[in-house]
Amino acid sequence: MNKQALTYDDIQLVPSYSTVTSRKNIDLSTKVTKRYSIQIPLVASCMDTVCESEMAVALAEIGGVGCIHRFMSVQHQLHEVSIVAKAAADLFIKNNSNTTIPVMAAVGANGDYAERAAELVKAGANIILIDVAHGHHENVKTAINHLKKLLPAHIDIIAGNIASAAAAKDLEAWGADGLRVGVGGGSLCTTRIKTGFGVPNVTCLENILAITSIPVMADGGIRASGDIAKALALGASSVMLGSLIAGTKEAPGQIIEKPNGLYKRYRGAASLETKTVHGQEQRNVEGESTVIPFKGGVKFVVEGLLDGVRSALSYGGANNLKAFKPEYVIVTHAGQTEAKPHLL
Ligand code: XMP
């Protein structure tokens, strides 16, 4: 393992010779798991202030996918998933689609996870995401094994979160069909402060992408379309978004009116607030909670992000994500300053 680790701000992509004539023609389709594809490489995080059915349906309509979070009763999660499954079935017909539209939902790795997963599949989920902070764990091995036996063969399993090549190798061997990659890099994470564990995102992705052949979802710390471009350039198949799409109309939660504007709450899955709201034991807090400005509709936000990503592919001389393999350079502190508007 390399001892010096880089994250998104430490690198810049080097422009390559391009024959891209129009950004409109750039194809952003990709795989989210072995069997399931999406038309844009964006996945809404399974957090209770990011993704329930309204977000997942809105993302499905523009070609992405949302993962329905698990911090609710089985009945409630089934209801949310059935709404997404119905909307996805309608979209399949409307778009004359030739690939199955993914319907993704999260479970844990202990307690009721297996019954929950089986019910979620009956409600229409075709991807089950095992949502665990430390995915390189015996519980996850047991959970994948169990779910692979229990669920029909067309159900894919995403497992994570992981941050090492050894973890990727193991999860793949245990039967995962997709990997959720990134530990401690999320915008509200305190894992690195509280535990000292975590690997900066660029090195984390590189170490894992060097050895795995299954789709990788880069999760945590994506703050702008440039970060999405960097993750995809390194070989991630998709990115999982929290803060970038929290605060939109479709994210769960009420709009909060303050004298200086409109806001919504965004809270870490392991924050004290999340644990309190869901009646969990108030221990092992590893996340913050906050309010963030209300951003309007998620489609508008995503279109802005995709404009940036398509532009990135044009700089990288690529018409599609498979061909997007620009080199990068490591930048100094002066380079990081130069990379941001510095006149104002
Ligand atoms: P962004 O940066 O997109 O990150 O807001 C979203 C991702 O952060 C992770 N996450 C957490 N990590 N404590 C953590 O250490 C938490 O409370 C927490 N909540 C979310 C998760 O991987 C998510 O997709």
Side-chain angles (χ1 to χ4, degrees):
M1 176 170 314
N2 28 9
K3 292 294 178 197
Q4 193 188 31
L6 305 172
T7 192
Y8 297 125
D9 271 354
D10 294 319
I11 67 164
Q12 291 295 155
L13 304 173
V14 179
S16 339
Y17 175 69
S18 180
T19 57
V20 176
T21 46
S22 167
R23 286 170 191 170
K24 282 200 195 97
N25 300 335
I26 289 173
D27 174 9
L28 292 180
S29 64
T30 185
K31 284 198 157 178
V32 68
T33 61
K34 273 186 200 164
R35 260 168 288 233
Y36 294 93
S37 298
I38 41 181
Q39 301 313 305
I40 60 170
L42 307 183
V43 183
S45 180
C46 42
M47 297 168 72
D48 74 345
T49 47
V50 177
C51 191
E52 292 177 359
S53 57
E54 204 180 336
M55 175 66 79
V57 170
L59 276 182
E61 282 170 354
I62 45 179
V65 62
C67 184
I68 304 294
H69 73 84
R70 64 191 171 90
F71 303 104
M72 55 178 113
S73 68
V74 177
Q75 280 317 312
H76 187 177
Q77 198 181 12
L78 294 183
H79 176 67
E80 296 296 321
V81 165
S82 62
I83 293 171
V84 184
K86 162 93 176 61
D90 292 347
L91 274 173
F92 183 79
I93 296 163
K94 189 174 144 210
N95 298 348
N96 207 3
S97 182
N98 53 9
T99 52
T100 309
I101 294 172
V103 178
M104 196 190 295
V107 299
N110 50 34
D112 68 357
Y113 81 92
E115 301 92 275
R116 189 180 278 258
E119 293 295 319
L120 289 169
V121 167
K122 280 188 210 150
N126 46 30
I127 302 176
I128 296 293
L129 181 147
I130 302 175
D131 175 27
V132 177
H134 178 27
H136 196 194
H137 195 286
E138 193 179 13
N139 287 350
V140 173
K141 181 182 182 179
T142 310
I144 298 176
N145 270 326
H146 190 170
L147 292 180
K148 278 285 166 191
K149 282 187 200 126
L150 183 74
L151 303 177
H154 70 279
I155 305 302
D156 272 358
I157 293 177
I158 297 177
N161 280 38
I162 57 165
S164 72
K169 223 180 210 169
D170 279 347
L171 266 59
E172 198 174 335
W174 298 342
D177 306 293
L179 299 173
R180 185 183 180 201
V181 170
V183 170
S187 60
L188 293 176
C189 294
T190 55
T191 298
R192 292 190 192 167
I193 295 166
K194 286 202 78 169
T195 71
F197 278 84
V199 179
N201 283 318
V202 165
T203 300
C204 175
L205 285 169
E206 281 187 315
N207 287 344
I208 286 173
L209 286 158
I211 65 105
T212 191
S213 56
I214 58 176
V216 161
M217 191 163 72
D219 177 30
I222 306 265
R223 301 150 306 166
S225 50
D227 292 344
I228 301 176
K230 288 173 186 177
L232 297 171
L234 294 169
S237 296
S238 64
V239 299
M240 181 170 253
L241 302 179
S243 66
L244 274 182
I245 54 172
T248 57
K249 180 173 97 33
E250 292 80 359
Q254 298 299 313
I255 294 173
I256 302 162
E257 268 189 74
K258 294 197 176 212
N260 59 350
L262 302 178
Y263 294 84
K264 274 187 134 179
R265 289 208 71 76
Y266 179 44
R267 56 185 176 226
S271 65
L272 184 62
E273 183 176 314
T274 297
K275 287 176 189 268
T276 307
V277 167
H278 301 293
Q280 298 165 2
E281 202 185 0
Q282 295 176 347
R283 294 189 53 198
N284 302 318
V285 170
E286 281 182 25
E288 298 286 355
S289 49
T290 188
V291 289
I292 57 172
F294 177 61
K295 297 176 188 154
V298 73
K299 288 184 191 174
F300 176 75
V301 172
V302 165
E303 279 310 324
L305 295 173
L306 294 179
D307 280 351
V309 176
R310 288 200 183 91
S311 193
L313 265 75
S314 162
Y315 278 106
N319 277 302
N320 57 60
L321 290 176
K322 267 211 177 86
F324 186 50
K325 290 177 179 155
E327 291 183 351
Y328 71 74
V329 289
I330 298 170
V331 292
T332 60
H333 182 69
Q336 289 176 14
T337 307
E338 188 184 62
K340 295 184 177 126
H342 45 269
L343 174 65
L344 308 176

